[in-house]
Amino acid sequence: MRVLVLREYGSAEFDGVRLSAADRRAVADERFARRLRVRELAGGRIEVSAGQYVGVVSLDGCEIRVEPKYLGTGLDVLRMLHIAVGAAPDALAARRTFTHGAPHLRDLVALMVTAHAERLLARGVRRDYVRREAPLPAVRGRLLPDRQLLHHYGRLDRLACRYDDFDTDIVDNRVCAAATDLAARTTSSLAVRARARRVAARFAQYAPTRPADVREDLGRLNHHRHNEHYRTAHFWSALLLTGGGLDDLFGSGPLAARAFLIDMNELFELFTTRLLAEAAEGTGLAVEGQSRHTHVLWNEQSARPYSEVRPDILIRGGPDALPFVRPVDVKYKLYDTRKVSTSDLYQAFLYAHALARDPGDAPPACVLLHPGGASGNRAAVAVRRWDGTVSARVRPVPLDLPAALGALESPRRAEFLSELLAEVTRRD
């Protein structure tokens, strides 16, 4: 199969590619079109336009790979995902598994699903009580008189009962079983597919019930002290089953099997939130992600909230007695090579005016955190009143993603996180 490669936010035309009828239905789907645009041109050509989504799409006529723009390969995106979910990165194991050529992102995630499922099997899968209703030859649990009269009237060898069964066929294992089965059927890497088939066969014995709608089972997941060790496996399983959806579900079925596309905007926000939360541990600062504020935009006529304001990150507290609040607006844009857009400035200034609190006489400030090199533009932008005084300030802070990933996987991790937090919370 022909492989077409382009970068995120890129567009390219390719010759000699014809889409099948199934391909045309897939690319015309609204959920697909929001992530990747594929347009047929005359003479057996197609035009592919990518946005902020990276990953792979498998069509009958070709395979489309969208590579990250600010990172090197899909392996680097996997390293970001590892950190965003709070797992220890194991890039070396991934490199050893794929011995021929660079793997695409979907195969890497399938490898993570398989590896974490193997760990669960080695530890022993979880059991829990499952409520069942069935006709039995003897009473077990509770007899259901209404069911007995309606369905088994006059029969003493068929008693309608409701009982709790201590079983492995629970939602925790069903999600893992569905994900390993999908990996075994659709992964292009022979090494990963062989491992996934073995794991899927074992999980099918423990959880034979196949979910009618995987989104329903994913929505029922609830992690607590009894199944906390399933959390990482469920993260990778949900990522694979939903076609790369980190938040809103791409859906189950044909599209999830054909396309695996990750929103880098959302991943960058999760990644930076995790870094700042870890950096703030033990400092007296608290990091809040996507906190909601309904008191900022107010309808004075109805005396009710007009709309809510939700900054990406809010950093509160500090060792001083004076209050400190620093909003952080996370943008997956390369602002070290161009000016910050006015729309992003307007949003950041709203956060600064309404939410920021700086001790002393310093104007309130908002940090705009974006990917970029260490030598990028860090010039702050200020809002000035009619008399020239500054009422608020927005300060861009670039985050060098390749350098950050290298530091996070080295003994310099704590030092790097401390420097990042100090830069974000620096008082001008």
Side-chain angles (χ1 to χ4, degrees), residues 31 252-259:
R31 296 171 298 169
S252 57
L255 275 179
R258 280 177 170 265

Side-chain angles (χ1 to χ4, degrees), residues 17-35:
V17 179
R18 295 189 179 277
L19 302 181
S20 66
D23 291 342
R24 295 187 183 97
R25 288 193 298 270
V27 300
D29 190 286
E30 182 182 356
R31 296 171 298 169
F32 184 99
R34 286 199 303 265
R35 290 158 171 82

Side-chain angles (χ1 to χ4, degrees), residues 150-170:
L150 287 173
H151 301 289
H152 311 292
Y153 179 74
R155 298 191 60 176
L156 299 181
D157 60 331
R158 303 275 288 179
L159 303 177
C161 299
R162 177 183 294 143
Y163 59 95
D164 291 332
D165 196 11
F166 196 58
D167 199 1
T168 59
D169 193 10
I170 57 177

